[in-house]
Every structure is written in C-alpha cells, then in structure tokens.
Amino acid sequence: PMFKTRKEALGSMGNDAPLACLSKYQPLIYDYFKQLFAQVTNPPIDPFREKIVMSLECPVGPEGNLLEPSASLCHRLWLVNPILSLGDLQTLKTTNYRGWKSAVIDITCSSTAKDLGKEIDRICREAEVAATTHQYLILS
C-alpha cells in the first residue's frame, strides 16, 4: 500500500522518508512538520506488559567478576523495584548482612555555596574514601 499511495503507514514509530522539501511530489503542508526517524521519543517502560523481556529488580551489593564465576556472585541483595521506602533505606543503612557496611554521603550543598565544582569534588573524595571500606554508598 505504501508504494501505491506514496504515503507513510499510520502508526509507525518514525519517519525515514525523504524530507518533504526534497520531494518530487507536492507534499501536504503537514508533511513538512513530521519528526524524522530517531527523533521520536521512546514510549515509557511498562514492566507489567513487558515483564518477559525486562525487570525492575535491582541487585545491590558488591559485584564480582563475571569472567571468574564463583559462588560469591550470588550473594547480593535483590530489591523488587528501584524505589526505596524510608524503611527500606533505613534497613540498608543499618544492615550488617555478610559484614557489608553502608556509608551515607551528604550530597546537599548550602544555598550560599559559590563554587559547585568544589562541592562536587568533595562528594567525589568522600565517595572514593568510603568505597574502600564500605559496600554500599548512599547518596543523601
């Protein structure tokens, strides 16, 4: 049908047809305002309809080397979804599962801060130091 009518099928995700201004035919005015392919936004993730191919579950904890399989790769906490309740967050802060510890890094800065670059450097330094002795870094 597209070949005969020289029109794009309805319901396509994008338009990879030539630009209307370069067309040999007289396109309608709205053809000039169509989005090009790859400018179309992706639809939102729908975990209920797409549960076969995607998951919102989040593994938390130290990652092992996937190239060296071992039993330690299985020892992680699995969150059902990436949104934590206050109770879940408090549990992560105080957990001692497998000897893991968490560090809370304050990522707020005062409204009078003049140099945000220095604040970001501070946060990075704190994270580097905490990552050597803690398994969880909680940015709060």
Side-chain angles (χ1 to χ4, degrees):
M2 287 176 58
F3 180 75
K4 290 179 182 177
T5 62
R6 298 183 183 124
K7 297 206 179 203
E8 178 181 75
L10 294 176
S12 67
M13 283 293 291
N15 178 11
D16 57 356
L19 296 173
C21 61
L22 301 176
S23 176
K24 295 178 185 176
Y25 309 101
Q26 289 184 330
L28 297 173
I29 189 70
Y30 66 82
D31 287 337
Y32 288 90
F33 300 102
K34 283 188 177 181
Q35 288 182 315
L36 296 178
F37 186 73
Q39 290 180 328
V40 177
T41 58
N42 288 330
I45 293 174
D46 185 354
F48 300 109
R49 292 190 183 106
E50 299 173 0
K51 63 184 170 187
I52 294 173
V53 295
M54 65 150 309
S55 171
L56 291 178
E57 291 183 358
C58 301
V60 178
E63 292 182 14
N65 184 352
L66 292 176
L67 300 177
E68 297 175 13
S70 69
S72 66
L73 292 176
C74 302
H75 302 295
R76 299 182 77 190
L77 295 177
W78 286 85
L79 302 175
V80 177
N81 63 55
I83 300 172
L84 297 176
S85 67
L86 292 175
D88 292 339
L89 184 60
Q90 188 60 33
T91 301
L92 279 179
K93 287 179 180 180
T94 59
T95 190
N96 197 16
Y97 175 74
R98 298 195 158 279
W100 297 345
K101 296 183 290 182
S102 64
V104 179
I105 299 173
D106 180 16
I107 61 169
T108 60
C109 60
S110 83
S111 60
T112 60
K114 300 291 183 201
D115 190 359
L116 291 179
K118 287 183 181 177
E119 291 293 323
I120 292 173
D121 289 340
R122 173 192 59 82
I123 293 167
C124 290
R125 280 192 307 276
E126 287 182 29
E128 284 180 38
V129 170
T132 60
T133 56
H134 295 80
Q135 287 73 26
Y136 300 119
L137 299 182
I138 299 172
L139 306 178
S140 177

